[in-house]
Amino acid sequence: MTFTLKGPSLEGTLVRLEPLGHRHAADLAVAAEEDRGGYAYTWVPRAGEVGAYIDAQLSRAASGRLAPYAQISLATGRAVGATAYWEPRSWLTDDALDAIEVGFTWLAGSAQGTGLNAEAKLLLFRHAFEVWQVSRVDLKTDARNTRSRAAIEKTGARLEGVLRNWSRSWAPGEEGRLRDSAIYSITAAEWPERRERMERRVRSAADALTPRR
């Protein structure tokens, strides 16, 4: 028996993560065009590219290397972005997962800063550590992407280093080039404290959205 990467639906108070499919295409096309100012180093399709983007992610999913999600705002019921589990690693036994990455994350401009990203990370990390019982979750981003790095650091993930010419660049105009990648991680031993920290952030974000009487 070998571990099969398949991400289940995950739901919190602000966001539901649904396995990505073409049913999300219309919403994602709108979300991707809201405000592209923050996508300088991130792979976010243009509206007309969403179908091909979903096909590419589903192809990676078929290879067993990716479990892609649409991020659904519970306030609106609309898909406002995407994220994924990526690069599962089983080092000790074939039927258990030892480590996994969370990545391919982007959100519509209107969903940024609302707590959705924080809760999506909480849901993904919690499932990885508490159901799959991984030893580590890692995240990587373009070393130049200060916004992404700040968001990752708010989860309590630790910077392990910057690996030079480590992975493909997604920056416009840099097709066919490699980027330096900042690598972060949370380990199983660190998870209980990081979980409490993230839960406090999500509660604070949810409270801020609750109408005052």
Side-chain angles (χ1 to χ4, degrees):
M1 178 181 176
T2 58
F3 178 85
T4 300
L5 179 61
K6 187 174 182 180
S9 293
L10 302 169
E11 184 166 329
T13 58
L14 302 172
V15 67
R16 181 172 63 254
L17 302 181
E18 295 180 355
L20 180 67
H22 282 283
R23 67 189 182 281
H24 302 116
D27 284 351
L28 292 179
V30 173
E33 295 293 342
E34 277 191 8
D35 179 1
R36 299 191 63 86
Y39 300 152
Y41 304 108
T42 305
W43 181 32
V44 181
R46 303 301 308 230
E49 300 167 344
V50 167
Y53 167 86
I54 293 174
D55 284 339
Q57 295 297 71
L58 294 181
S59 178
R60 290 184 174 93
S63 75
R65 298 178 61 207
L66 183 80
Y69 285 100
Q71 298 199 51
I72 312 298
S73 166
L74 292 180
T76 66
R78 298 179 64 87
V80 293
T83 191
Y85 286 120
W86 172 234
E87 294 286 15
R89 279 148 283 156
S90 298
W91 291 309
L92 301 178
T93 63
D94 289 339
D95 60 355
L97 191 62
D98 296 307
I100 198 161
E101 181 177 333
V102 169
F104 288 101
T105 300
W106 62 271
L107 278 175
S110 62
Q112 296 173 23
T114 63
L116 266 73
N117 182 57
E119 187 171 51
K121 292 290 193 299
L122 172 61
L123 294 171
L124 292 166
F125 293 174
R126 186 168 62 197
H127 186 81
F129 284 116
E130 298 177 15
V131 178
W132 289 334
Q133 298 188 321
V134 299
S135 293
R136 65 176 273 146
V137 170
D138 39 71
L139 308 96
K140 67 175 181 284
T141 189
D142 192 305
R144 300 167 294 179
N145 193 341
T146 56
R147 177 182 292 189
S148 177
R149 292 181 66 167
I152 291 171
E153 288 164 5
K154 286 180 180 178
T155 70
R158 180 180 297 182
L159 175 65
E160 296 184 327
V162 175
L163 303 183
R164 297 177 297 168
N165 292 342
W166 179 251
S167 56
R168 171 181 176 175
S169 174
W170 297 104
E174 294 187 358
E175 292 78 8
R177 294 174 57 183
L178 297 175
R179 74 180 193 191
D180 295 349
S181 291
I183 309 296
Y184 293 81
S185 72
I186 296 174
T187 66
E190 296 166 339
W191 170 239
E193 188 278 334
R194 303 304 193 269
R195 174 176 173 164
E196 290 183 8
R197 179 189 304 193
M198 296 177 74
E199 287 175 340
R200 287 195 298 270
R201 286 186 61 209
V202 171
R203 284 196 298 269
S204 178
D207 289 345
L209 296 174
T210 301
R212 303 298 181 186
R213 293 185 178 181

